[in-house]
Amino acid sequence: MPSTIPEGYTTVTPWIISTDTPQLIDFLIAAFDGTELGRMANEDGSIGHAEIRIGDAIVMAFDAPAGLAAMPAFIRLYVPDARKGFAKALEAGATEVTKPTLLAFGDRVARVRDPLGNIWWLQQRVEEVSEAEMQQRWGDPRWSEPMAYVQHSLAEALKH
C-alpha cells in the first residue's frame, strides 16, 4: 500500500499566511538554514504558494490575498543548540521574545519573533527527565522561576 504522506513531508505541515512571503523565505534561509523548495507566483506577482524545508520538515507559506489578514504562526523548531539558534535568528532580523532558558522538563527554550510577526520556539533537548523528577523540579525555585520568566516573556511579547 502506498504511503498517504508524500516523500519528504511529515504528518503535520504548518502554513504561514504572510504579508511578504519572499521576505519570510529569506529570513527562514538566513535564520534556520532553510532551503526554498519552490514558489508559485499569482498573476499580480504575489506568492500563491511556497515551500521551505527546515531540517526534516516543510513549512508552507503564501501571501495573504485581498480580504484575508496575515496570520502569524507560532512554531516550535527543535535545533541542535538553542543558544546558537537564538543568536543566528537575531542576526537574521528576528527580535528577542525569550532568552535561552533551561526548563524543568529538560529542554532549553528560546523564542524569537521574525520580521513578519511569526514566533518561533527554538528548543533543544538537553536531558531526559523522568516524570517523577519533573514533578519534583516544579516545586523548586531553581526550576519554577525560569518557567515563570518564559511564560511572562511570551505574555509581554503578545501585548505588542
Side-chain angles (χ1 to χ4, degrees):
M1 177 189 253
S3 173
T4 59
I5 302 170
E7 185 175 339
Y9 290 79
T10 54
T11 302
V12 175
T13 303
W15 281 91
I16 299 175
I17 302 171
S18 176
T19 57
D20 188 339
T21 300
Q23 181 184 9
L24 175 67
I25 292 168
D26 290 346
F27 174 79
L28 298 178
I29 291 168
F32 307 132
D33 297 323
T35 301
E36 181 178 343
L37 300 178
R39 68 174 88 180
M40 297 183 327
N42 295 318
E43 286 184 20
D44 65 359
S46 64
I47 302 300
H49 180 83
E51 297 187 9
I52 307 91
R53 178 174 299 287
I54 302 172
D56 64 353
I58 293 175
V59 174
M60 295 185 184
F62 63 91
D63 288 329
L68 182 64
M71 297 178 68
F74 288 41
I75 299 176
R76 175 186 287 179
L77 176 62
Y78 277 97
V79 295
D81 185 318
R83 291 179 185 129
K84 288 181 181 176
F86 179 75
K88 187 172 182 178
L90 294 178
E91 289 172 14
T95 57
E96 176 183 310
V97 173
T98 306
K99 292 180 184 339
T101 305
L102 183 60
L103 296 175
F105 55 88
D107 282 8
R108 180 168 288 117
V109 176
R111 291 186 288 224
V112 298
R113 184 189 311 259
D114 73 25
L116 295 156
N118 304 293
I119 295 181
W120 297 83
W121 268 256
L122 307 178
Q123 290 195 218
Q124 170 192 4
R125 177 55 47 105
V126 176
E127 64 177 321
E128 296 297 327
V129 179
S130 71
E131 185 69 29
E133 174 69 14
M134 196 181 329
Q135 291 304 319
Q136 184 179 16
R137 286 179 175 189
W138 289 123
D140 182 340
R142 283 184 331 168
W143 297 104
S144 60
E145 289 173 6
M147 179 55 87
Y149 159 70
V150 167
Q151 291 171 333
H152 178 75
S153 67
L154 180 61
E156 285 300 309
L158 295 177
K159 289 179 184 177
H160 307 293

